[in-house]
Amino acid sequence: MSFELLLVEDDASIRTVLQDAMQNDGHTTTVAGDGDEALAILRERRFDLLILDIMLPGPSGLEILRSVREQDRDTPILLLTARSSESDKVLGLELGADDYVTKPFSLRELRARVKALLRRKETDTASPTGRFSIGAIAVDLAAYELQRGGATHRLSPTESAMLALLYRERGRVVDRSMFLQEVWGGTTIGDRTIDTHLLHLRKKLEADPKQPKHLLTVHGVGYRLVVEA
């Protein structure tokens, strides 16, 4: 199945390689070399997936991400980050990015991440329907949000898919292999990526993330969701 992609990367050589790779995979790929160009394109068109370099001339990838998520919670967004920019990765996930790849990266890894995000979009596992409660927390997966303590927290499609799996298996341990299979479609990614997403989900679920009552770590095994705590 062919998808419409937007690739935003200021390095012309990287942009050409990635565009060729995405088009070889059968996807129509529009490119932009800076943040202003990307925002202009996004005002006119919708895409099935965005690949955003964080460091861009003009508005940064994070600014574009923020702008997109104000209007669109569904479109998968993959960030390209520098190895040293840990704070950018954290902020990107908080703003609603679905995944990130750290430069320098292998083309094989990036293609696998893109494939996983598009597979999730195609099968609609990223937008499960259903409302449920976790203690005093109200979750609406279709709306990509949860309400806790009078505040509404937005969920990324990845966080929604992870929470759907945790709720389905509530009370039982979900190991990393289950997250890999059901959220990332079997794509090989590092445990740190899974843990990073879950830590951000915990911040939204828990009043005190350092002393969680609902999303618990089972060391050496995985994670467990406790509905009543």
Side-chain angles (χ1 to χ4, degrees):
M1 184 174 181
S2 177
F3 291 93
E4 296 272 347
L5 276 56
L6 175 63
L7 166 64
V8 188
E9 167 62 63
D10 64 317
D11 186 308
S13 60
I14 295 176
R15 189 168 63 242
T16 298
V17 169
L18 295 184
Q19 183 181 23
D20 288 346
M22 295 300 101
Q23 293 187 159
N24 286 339
D25 288 342
H27 307 308
T28 302
T29 307
T30 302
V31 298
D34 60 54
D36 288 319
E37 184 182 5
L39 288 173
I41 293 171
L42 287 165
R43 282 192 288 268
E44 300 295 329
R45 296 176 58 188
R46 292 286 299 271
F47 293 88
D48 295 306
L49 182 140
L50 309 183
I51 303 174
L52 301 178
D53 187 20
I54 287 182
M55 300 297 294
L56 293 169
S60 70
L62 293 177
E63 291 175 280
I64 297 170
L65 168 61
R66 183 185 288 109
S67 176
V68 171
R69 283 293 181 246
E70 287 175 354
Q71 305 294 329
D72 176 6
R73 301 185 187 183
D74 299 343
T75 301
I77 298 177
L78 176 68
L79 294 179
L80 307 180
T81 73
R83 185 176 298 277
S84 59
S85 59
E86 190 67 30
S87 61
D88 284 343
K89 298 174 189 176
V90 171
L91 181 56
L93 293 175
E94 290 176 348
L95 291 174
D98 294 281
D99 205 353
Y100 62 85
V101 175
T102 302
K103 293 181 177 181
F105 53 82
S106 71
L107 191 56
R108 179 179 180 182
E109 177 188 10
L110 184 127
R111 292 169 83 169
R113 299 290 185 91
V114 167
K115 183 178 180 180
L117 290 172
L118 291 173
R119 182 188 299 116
R120 200 186 323 151
K121 178 181 178 66
E122 184 179 12
T123 59
D124 202 33
T125 58
S127 54
T129 58
R131 299 179 181 180
F132 53 85
S133 297
I134 301 172
I137 303 162
V139 179
D140 187 341
L141 292 176
Y144 298 102
E145 65 183 28
L146 64 83
Q147 295 182 343
R148 175 178 56 79
T152 299
H153 300 269
R154 291 194 290 181
L155 300 170
S156 71
T158 296
E159 290 169 339
S160 291
M162 297 181 96
L163 188 52
L165 172 58
L166 285 162
Y167 186 76
R168 190 192 76 198
E169 301 294 327
R170 56 194 179 275
R172 297 185 289 269
V173 177
V174 178
D175 62 25
R176 290 177 178 83
S177 66
M178 291 181 68
F179 285 115
L180 284 175
Q181 186 60 44
E182 299 204 24
V183 179
W184 278 272
T187 302
T188 301
I189 62 172
D191 289 348
R192 187 175 180 182
T193 299
I194 298 172
D195 293 340
T196 299
H197 280 284
L198 284 163
L199 287 174
H200 284 284
L201 180 57
R202 179 178 283 158
K203 289 180 181 179
K204 297 175 182 180
L205 277 173
E206 305 286 357
D208 183 359
K210 294 183 179 179
Q211 297 183 12
K213 296 181 179 180
H214 296 290
L215 182 49
L216 308 181
T217 301
V218 182
H219 293 288
V221 183
Y223 294 84
R224 182 166 63 93
L225 183 68
V226 177
V227 174
E228 298 295 338

